[in-house]
C-alpha cells in the first residue's frame, strides 16, 4: 500500500533533490507525478494552500535516512511508501533475526517486492551507532544548513482591480464593453475607487521571502514573510512591510524532550477526528488503500497560510520508555467575517462581539478585506497522551478552542447543528494495532455539546498480491470539531455515515489493479441539499509497467450524489441525482536518462437530474528534460481542452516552483501551456523561472469583479532564487 501523502511530499524531494546528498532515481520521479495527480484531482481548485512543510519532510529524509536498526512503526509508516503489513514485516524480521546489518537484507522479506525496495532505498539506512541522531547542540549549529529563498510572481495582463496599481508589462486593462474607464491619473478619483473597494490598494506583485536553518530532524528555526498581490508594501495599511510574518524554533530528541516547538507550529494526532491543524490529504485516490493517517504529532511551521497553524508553544516528553505526553498552547488572531460597522444593528447588540464565518484565503487587498484581518482572537489549549508498543499503540487527545467574540451563523436550515458560540472542546481516543498481515486502526471523538463521531478500519494483506482496505465512519450531525479533519466524503467530518472498501491486486510485476467503492449517507441537510441524501463513489484503475522507463494506466470513476434541482419548482426544491463519470488514459515514458514524456487524455460526463448531459475533454503533453550533470533543467506542457460548463471541468497538476502547487481547473475551450527552467549557476545557488498562459476561444473577458481581465489571454510570470550554505 502506498499512502495518500506520498504525492505531495515527494514533489518537494523531486524538485530539490538534484544537489541533495542522495539522488532520487528517474523511476521514482515518474511515480511522484502519479501521486501528485491522485491528490490534485481531489484537492480541486483549492490550490492556494502552501504545502512547503510537507516537501520539507521529504528533504530531511533524503539527507537523514531512517535507521532500520531503531525505526518504529510510525517512522516507517511516515514514509508513505509502505503498507502496514510491510511495516510489520520489517519490524518482525528485526525482532526475529536481530538488528539489520545492511539495507539489502530487506530483500529477504517476502512482503517487499522489488519495486517497493527500489522506492524506499534512498530513505532508509543502517547505522552502526546512534551518534548521528544524538549530536550536540554545538555540532548541530556547526553542521546545519542555511537556506535563503526569495520568490515573486505577477500576472502579465493587468486586472481590473489594479487600475492605478502599476502595469509593468504595458498590457493595460480595457473595458470589454467599450465603456470609459475612471480617470486614475486624478488622485481623488483613484482614492475614491480604493475607498469604495473598486480597486486594490497595492501593487500586482506577489512577494515571498524565507530564511531557514536546519540540522536533519533535530533542529529547525526560521522566518517566513509574504505579501499577496494587491496588498500594500511598506506603506499605507502595511507600514511593517509584508502582510504576513511567521517564525519558529523547533527541537527534536533533546534528552527527554522528543519535540519542542516555540513560535509557529502544527499539531496533528490520531486519525484527525479530535485535533488536526493544518492541511490534511484527500482520502480517496487511485491508491485505494490510502485510508489510514499517520499523525506526525508536532511539526515546525514554515508555510504561508495565514490562519491554519498554531502560534505559541508545545512540547512532547518521554515519560517512560513506552509513554509520551504532548501539551500544546496557541494564541493568535485569525481572519473572520464581522458585521459591517456602518450597518444598523439590533438594540443591545455589540457588533464587535460577534462574527459569522471564518476566512482562510489570507487576502487583504481592499479596505473591506482589511476589516476582516485578525478580527477574531483565538485561544487553543490541549494535550495528547500516547502509549506505544512495537506492534500497537493507543492515544488520548483533548483540545479546547475559545474565541474572543461569538460565532453567530446565518439561520439557514443546514446550519442548525453547526457550531455556534464562543467556546468548544473535543476529546477522544485513537488506536493502531499491527498483527501479522492485519492492521486495525480507528478513533472515537466527542464534542462539548455531546455530539459523537467515530471511524474504524482494517488493512489486510491476504497475499503478496492481494490487499484489502475497509473503513466505516459514523459522524453524528451534531458533532462539532473546529479542528477535525478526518476521512470523509463531505468537507467536514460530521453529518455523515459511510463504508469504504478498497482493493489492490498485484497480478504480476508489470500489472496492478486498484479499485474502491465508497457508499455514504448524509442524515441532515447540506449546502444545496434540502434533505437527507446519499451517494456512492466507484473507481477502477489498471496499471501496466513493462519496464522502468514505461508506465501506462487507464482509469474510470463514477460518482453519484444528490443535490437540489435547478428546475424552477414551487416550494422546497426536491433532490435530484447528480452523476459524473471520468475516463482517463495516461502514459509516462523515459526517452533517455534525461528526458521524460507524459501524455494524458481525459474525458468527463456530468448530468444533474433531467438536465442535459455535459461533456469535458482534456489532452496534454508534458516534457521534462533533467540531465543529471547539467546546470539546466527544463519542464513544460501544452494542453488543449473543451468543456460544456464549469461543472464539466477537469483538474491537472502542473509542475511549479518548489513550494508552489498549481492544480487549476480546465474549463471552457482553449489551450494551456507553460515552461519552467531551473538554472544552477553555482554550487549552492538555484534560479527558477516559469511562464504560463491560458488562451481561450471566443471570450472577450476572463474572470469577473476586480480579477477581470479584458481579452482571451491570461498569463503569469514566476521567479525564484534559493541560496543554501
Amino acid at each position: 500500500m502506498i499512502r495518500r501523502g506520498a504525492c505531495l511530499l515527494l514533489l518537494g524531494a523531486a524538485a530539490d533533490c538534484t544537489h541533495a546528498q542522495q539522488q532520487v532515481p528517474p523511476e521514482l520521479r515518474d511515480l511522484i507525478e502519479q501521486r501528485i495527480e491522485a491528490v490534485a484531482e481531489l484537492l480541486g481548485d483549492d490550490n492556494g494552500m502552501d504545502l512547503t512543510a510537507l516537501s520539507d519532510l521529504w528533504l530531511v529524509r533524503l539527507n537523514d535516512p531512517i535507521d532500520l536498526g531503531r525505526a518504529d512503526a510510525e517512522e516507517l509508516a511516515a514514509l508513505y511508501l509502505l503498507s502496514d503489513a510491510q511495516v510489520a514485516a520489517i519490524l518482525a524480521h528485526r525482532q526475529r533475526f536481530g538488528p539489520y546489518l545492511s539495507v539489502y537484507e530487506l530483500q529477504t522479506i517476502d512482503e517487499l517486492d522489488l519495486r517497493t525496495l527500489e522506492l524506499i532505498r534512498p530513505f532508509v539506512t543502517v547505522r552502526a551507532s546512534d551518534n548521528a541522531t544524538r549530536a550536540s547542540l554545538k555540532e548541530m549549529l556547526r553542521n546545519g544548513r542555511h537556506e535563503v529563498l526569495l520568490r515573486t510572481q505577477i500576472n502579465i495582463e493587468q486586472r481590473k482591480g489594479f487600475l492605478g496599481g502599476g502595469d509593468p508589462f504595458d498590457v493595460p486593462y480595457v473595458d470589454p464593453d467599450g465603456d470609459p474607464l475612471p480617470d486614475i491619473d486624478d488622485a481623488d478619483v483613484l482614492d475614491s475607487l480604493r475607498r469604495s473597494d473598486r480597486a486594490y490598494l497595492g501593487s500586482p506583485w506577489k512577494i515571498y521571502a524565507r530564511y531557514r536553518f536546519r540540522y536533519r530532524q533535530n533542529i529547525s528555526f526560521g522566518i517566513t514573510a509574504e505579501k499577496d498581490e494587491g496588498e500594500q508594501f511598506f506603506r499605507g495599511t502595511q507600514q511593517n512591510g509584508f502582510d504576513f510574518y511567521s517564525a519558529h524554533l523547533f527541537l527534536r530528541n533533546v534528552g527527554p524532550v522528543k519535540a519542542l516547538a516555540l513560535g509557529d507550529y502544527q499539531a496533528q494526532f490520531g486519525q484527525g477526528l479530535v485535533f488536526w491543524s493544518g492541511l490534511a490529504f484527500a482520502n480517496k485516490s487511485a491508491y485505494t488503500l490510502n485510508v489510514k493517517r499517520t499523525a506526525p504529532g508536532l511539526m515546525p511551521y514554515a508555510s504561508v497560510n495565514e490562519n491554519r497553524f498554531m502560534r505559541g508553544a508545545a512540547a512532547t516528553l518521554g515519560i517512560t520508555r513506552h509513554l509520551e505526553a504532548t501539551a500544546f498552547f496557541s494564541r493568535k488572531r485569525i481572519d473572520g467575517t464581522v458585521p459591517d460597522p456602518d450597518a444598523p444593528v439590533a438594540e443591545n447588540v455589540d457588533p464587535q462581539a460577534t462574527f459569522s464565518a471564518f476566512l482562510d484565503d489570507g487576502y487583504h487587498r481592499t479596505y473591506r478585506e482589511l476589516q476582516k484581518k485578525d478580527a477574531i482572537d483565538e485561544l487553543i489549549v490541549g494535550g495528547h497522551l500516547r502509549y506505544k508498543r512495537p506492534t500497537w499503540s493507543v492515544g488520548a487527545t483533548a483540545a479546547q478552542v475559545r474565541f474572543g467574540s461569538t460565532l453567530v451563523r446565518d439561520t439557514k436550515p443546514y446550519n442548525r447543528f453547526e457550531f455556534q458560540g464562543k467556546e468548544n472542546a473535543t476529546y477522544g481516543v485513537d488506536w493502531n494495532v499491527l498483527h501479522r498481515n492485519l492492521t486495525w486502526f480507528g478513533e472515537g471523538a466527542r464534542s462539548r455539546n455531546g455530539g459523537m463521531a467515530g471511524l474504524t478500519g482494517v488493512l489486510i494483506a491476504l497475499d503478496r498480491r492481494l490487499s484489502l482496505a475497509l473503513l466505516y465512519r459514523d459522524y453524528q450531525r451534531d458533532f462539532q470539531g473546529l479542528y477535525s479533519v478526518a476521512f470523509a466524503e463531505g468537507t467536514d467530518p460530521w453529518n455523515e455515515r459511510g463504508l469504504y472498501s478498497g482493493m489492490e491486486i498485484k497480478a504480476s510485476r508489470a500489472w496492478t489493479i486498484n479499485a474502491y467503492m465508497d457508499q455514504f449517507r448524509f442524515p441532515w441537510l447540506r449546502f444545496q441539499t434540502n434533505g437527507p441524501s446519499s451517494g456512492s463513489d466507484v473507481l477502477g484503475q489498471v496499471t501496466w509497467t513493462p519496464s522502468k522507463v514505461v508506465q501506462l494506466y487507464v482509469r474510470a470513476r463514477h460518482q453519484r450524489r444528490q443535490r437540489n434541482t435547478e428546475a424552477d419548482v414551487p416550494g422546497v426544491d426536491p433532490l435530484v441525482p447528480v452523476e459524473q463519470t471520468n475516463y482517463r488514459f495516461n502514459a509516462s515514458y523515459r526517452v533517455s536518462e534525461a528526458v521524460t514524456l507524459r501524455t494524458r487524455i481525459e474525458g468527463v460526463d456530468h448530468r444533474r437530474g433531467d438536465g442535459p448531459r455535459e461533456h469535458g475533454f482534456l489532452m496534454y503533453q508534458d516534457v521534462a528534460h533533467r540531465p543529471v550533470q547539467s546546470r539546466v533543467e527544463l519542464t513544460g506542457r501544452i494542453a488543449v481542452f473543451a468543456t460544456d460548463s464549469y461543472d464539466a471541468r477537469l483538474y491537472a497538476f502542473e509542475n511549479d516552483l518548489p513550494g508552489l502547487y498549481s492544480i487549476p481547473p480546465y474549463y471552457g475551450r482553449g489551450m494551456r501551456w507553460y515552461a519552467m527552467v531551473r538554472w544552477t549557476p553555482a554550487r549552492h545557488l538555484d534560479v527558477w523561472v516559469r511562464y504560463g498562459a491560458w488562451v481561450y476561444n471566443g471570450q472577450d473577458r476572463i474572470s469577473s469583479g476586480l480579477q477581470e481581465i479584458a481579452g482571451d489571454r491570461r498569463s503569469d510570470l514566476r521567479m525564484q532564487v534559493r541560496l543554501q550554505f
Side-chain angles (χ1 to χ4, degrees), residues 54 95 104 206 245 261 284 306 453 496 547 623 645 684 692 723:
L54 302 178
Q95 185 176 9
Y104 298 106
K206 183 172 184 176
Y245 290 94
K284 293 183 289 187
E306 301 181 22
E496 178 176 326
S547 67
V623 179
S645 70
H684 301 292
L723 175 65

Side-chain angles (χ1 to χ4, degrees), residues 363-507:
Y363 290 133
H364 307 119
R365 303 162 298 185
T366 66
Y367 287 113
R368 182 176 299 174
E369 290 177 345
L370 283 165
Q371 288 175 359
K372 303 172 184 179
K373 179 182 179 181
D374 297 337
I376 309 163
D377 182 63
E378 178 194 62
L379 174 67
I380 304 173
V381 293
H384 177 76
L385 193 66
R386 176 159 296 277
Y387 185 81
K388 299 195 302 182
R389 302 292 293 185
T391 58
W392 63 272
S393 66
V394 61
T397 309
Q400 183 179 49
V401 182
R402 182 179 178 85
F403 302 110
S405 50
T406 303
L407 174 60
V408 180
R409 300 185 187 270
D410 60 42
T411 57
K412 291 183 172 60
Y414 61 78
N415 278 334
R416 178 179 176 184
F417 297 100
E418 294 280 339
F419 169 78
Q420 300 194 70
K422 199 170 184 177
E423 186 175 342
N424 189 44
T426 52
Y427 45 89
V429 177
D430 64 273
W431 62 91
N432 186 67
V433 179
L434 281 72
H435 179 68
R436 296 183 179 178
N437 61 340
L438 182 145
T439 299
W440 175 43
F441 64 94
E443 184 171 13
R446 187 178 189 272
S447 55
R448 184 180 183 181
N449 66 334
M452 307 282 285
L455 67 85
T456 185
V458 293
L459 304 171
I460 311 170
L462 298 178
D463 183 80
R464 288 185 64 184
R465 299 181 178 181
L466 176 61
S467 298
L468 301 176
L470 295 171
L471 185 144
Y472 175 75
R473 71 267 192 194
D474 188 349
Y475 309 144
Q476 294 181 359
R477 62 185 182 181
D478 58 345
F479 176 69
Q480 298 172 349
L482 296 174
Y483 278 83
S484 298
V485 186
F487 186 104
E489 169 65 22
T491 305
D492 301 304
W494 48 79
N495 183 36
E496 178 176 326
R497 294 192 189 98
L499 176 64
Y500 173 97
S501 55
M503 173 183 68
E504 181 176 273
I505 302 174
K506 296 181 178 179

Side-chain angles (χ1 to χ4, degrees), residues 677-715:
V677 59
R678 171 180 174 170
W679 177 43
T680 307
R683 182 180 177 185
H684 301 292
L685 182 65
D686 295 290
V687 179
W688 288 266
V689 178
R690 183 185 190 269
Y691 176 81
W694 299 83
V695 181
Y696 295 91
N697 296 339
Q699 291 189 205
D700 63 355
R701 71 193 72 194
I702 300 171
S703 193
S704 60
L706 298 184
Q707 290 292 92
E708 183 178 273
I709 296 173
D712 61 358
R713 183 185 181 92
R714 174 166 61 94
S715 57

